[in-house]
Amino acid sequence: MPKVTRDDVARLAGTSTAVVSYVINNGPRPVAPATRERVLAAIKQLGYRPDRVAQAMASRRTDLIGLIVPDARQPFFAEMAHAVEQAASDRGKMVLVGNSDYLDEREVHYLRAFLGMRVSGLILISQGPSQNAAAEIDAWDARVVLLHERPEAIDDIAVVTDDIGGAQLATRHLLEHGHEYVACLGGTEITPVTGDPVTDHVVGWERAMQEFGKSTEGRLFHAPYNRYDAYQVALGLLAGPDRPPAIFCSTDDQAIGVLRAARELRIEVPGQLAVAGFDDVKEAGLADPPLTTVASDRKAMARAAVDAVLDDSLRVPGVRRERLRTFPSRLVVRGSCGCHARATP
């Protein structure tokens, strides 16, 4: 059968091809409701399918959003990517996902690849300081929204969590159980990185410890973000002579690794060791014991990031818009801290 064209739809609907285009693309001009219904009915009757490649070539933009994450194997990034995909789908967009693997060159590789595909916009969960990524974004004059992390080198719209406040909540809660002190399992960076969530988690831990008059000296330990490597670090920490009474972990994945190490060493949680994490991934509630952690509204953050990356008005010269949107954190209390409640009110 011959391919159905936009002209065929226009003839059946009794209108022009331009109007058909406005209906398909939701603009740029409005279409009367009755006319829109005739066009949609014609599209359905004829089985018309728009040529997305031709549309992209004409508009120099696709219906794609690029999303770059450090490691989609980690539950937090997997859940965030899913939330972005849902939010994009609600806006009629599809998502391309690339993993930087915490490597600067891979982050730049995906930036070039996605921007070269003329994506409608790009959402970046950065892997670090990202000076090279910043230069690449400037070279393309790209529309980019930062999500979860806000590297100092990239001055673009950002959607983040109150990481410092959330870490304070968790650490303060552990200290309120009467522990002498709370150790912190931070990231692999010894030198703090501005805009990095894990750096902010360490800052929040330090502030809570200071509130209670506790020293942080020698109580910050560095570990990779994933549970497998954190488990190895925790084995050494918990088997040593100075085992901490409580640990705040910068990620839930780290905390799950700590719980596994404690179980192997026959250390009772929370009887002999209290543990709290950050992120509230779905597995946190199924950990043994269920993990006390800090949550943020990932779905709302994903919607905000998608809305921002598609909002042309945010980039109008001379018009000021909110460039940083911070979502609140909340403490989710479970059993690993010594409480039995499932969540705070």
Side-chain angles (χ1 to χ4, degrees), residues 123-164:
I123 297 174
L124 174 61
I125 303 179
S126 185
Q127 53 78 37
S130 301
Q131 283 89 352
N132 291 335
E136 197 68 31
I137 291 168
D138 289 341
W140 283 87
D141 190 26
R143 52 173 63 197
V144 175
V145 169
L146 303 169
L147 179 59
H148 176 60
E149 182 163 346
R150 193 187 192 195
E152 191 174 24
I154 305 177
D155 184 26
D156 275 279
I157 296 164
V159 178
V160 299
T161 302
D162 180 8
D163 290 295
I164 293 177

Side-chain angles (χ1 to χ4, degrees), residues 185-190 196 198-199 202 220-225 250 254:
L185 208 60
T188 55
E189 294 288 342
I190 296 176
D196 172 55
V198 171
T199 298
V202 173
L220 171 62
F221 302 90
H222 298 283
Y225 306 131
S250 294
Q254 289 176 326

Side-chain angles (χ1 to χ4, degrees), residues 71-105:
D71 186 353
R73 294 171 300 181
Q74 292 186 30
F76 173 82
F77 294 124
E79 292 179 22
M80 184 62 84
H82 187 262
V84 169
E85 184 180 15
Q86 287 184 314
S89 179
D90 291 341
R91 296 289 301 271
K93 304 293 182 181
M94 294 182 292
V95 177
L96 298 173
V97 180
N99 288 269
S100 70
D101 291 330
Y102 293 98
L103 297 174
D104 196 46
E105 59 269 23

Side-chain angles (χ1 to χ4, degrees), residues 13 35 58 100 204 329:
T35 304
S100 70
S329 298

Side-chain angles (χ1 to χ4, degrees), residues 49-315:
R49 296 291 182 269
D51 187 337
R52 295 299 183 188
V53 174
Q55 285 180 315
M57 292 177 65
S59 65
R60 297 180 63 80
R61 187 169 297 166
T62 64
D63 283 334
L64 302 172
I65 292 175
L67 171 65
I68 302 175
V69 301
D71 186 353
R73 294 171 300 181
Q74 292 186 30
F76 173 82
F77 294 124
E79 292 179 22
M80 184 62 84
H82 187 262
V84 169
E85 184 180 15
Q86 287 184 314
S89 179
D90 291 341
R91 296 289 301 271
K93 304 293 182 181
M94 294 182 292
V95 177
L96 298 173
V97 180
N99 288 269
S100 70
D101 291 330
Y102 293 98
L103 297 174
D104 196 46
E105 59 269 23
R106 286 188 64 81
E107 186 172 89
V108 171
H109 162 75
Y110 278 114
L111 275 168
R112 289 174 178 165
F114 290 164
L115 295 175
M117 293 176 185
R118 299 291 179 182
V119 293
S120 295
L122 194 142
I123 297 174
L124 174 61
I125 303 179
S126 185
Q127 53 78 37
S130 301
Q131 283 89 352
N132 291 335
E136 197 68 31
I137 291 168
D138 289 341
W140 283 87
D141 190 26
R143 52 173 63 197
V144 175
V145 169
L146 303 169
L147 179 59
H148 176 60
E149 182 163 346
R150 193 187 192 195
E152 191 174 24
I154 305 177
D155 184 26
D156 275 279
I157 296 164
V159 178
V160 299
T161 302
D162 180 8
D163 290 295
I164 293 177
Q168 281 183 277
L169 285 174
T171 306
R172 188 183 297 130
H173 182 76
L174 291 175
L175 289 167
E176 286 171 347
H177 274 273
H179 297 296
E180 181 183 349
Y181 69 92
V182 175
C184 177
L185 208 60
T188 55
E189 294 288 342
I190 296 176
T191 304
V193 178
T194 302
D196 172 55
V198 171
T199 298
D200 287 346
H201 296 170
V202 173
V203 171
W205 164 75
E206 290 173 336
R207 290 184 182 179
M209 289 279 281
Q210 290 166 3
E211 286 177 25
F212 280 72
K214 307 293 185 181
S215 170
T216 59
E217 185 69 30
R219 291 168 178 174
L220 171 62
F221 302 90
H222 298 283
Y225 306 131
N226 68 78
R227 69 189 65 182
Y228 310 104
D229 293 325
Y231 154 78
Q232 295 292 342
V233 173
L235 281 176
L237 174 61
L238 298 180
D242 298 320
R243 186 181 75 214
I247 302 177
F248 164 65
C249 300
S250 294
T251 72
D252 282 352
D253 233 27
Q254 289 176 326
I256 290 171
V258 170
L259 292 178
R260 172 59 185 267
R263 188 159 57 249
E264 285 193 12
L265 295 171
R266 301 184 182 279
I267 297 170
E268 293 182 7
V269 178
Q272 297 172 290
L273 172 71
V275 180
F278 200 114
D279 290 332
D280 194 30
V281 299
K282 290 185 182 299
E283 291 176 83
L286 297 177
D288 184 19
L291 181 64
T292 291
T293 183
V294 177
S296 59
D297 193 340
R298 279 192 287 277
K299 288 185 178 180
M301 291 174 66
R303 284 196 302 271
V306 170
D307 289 345
V309 85
L310 297 177
D311 188 352
D312 291 327
S313 71
L314 290 171
R315 291 162 180 81

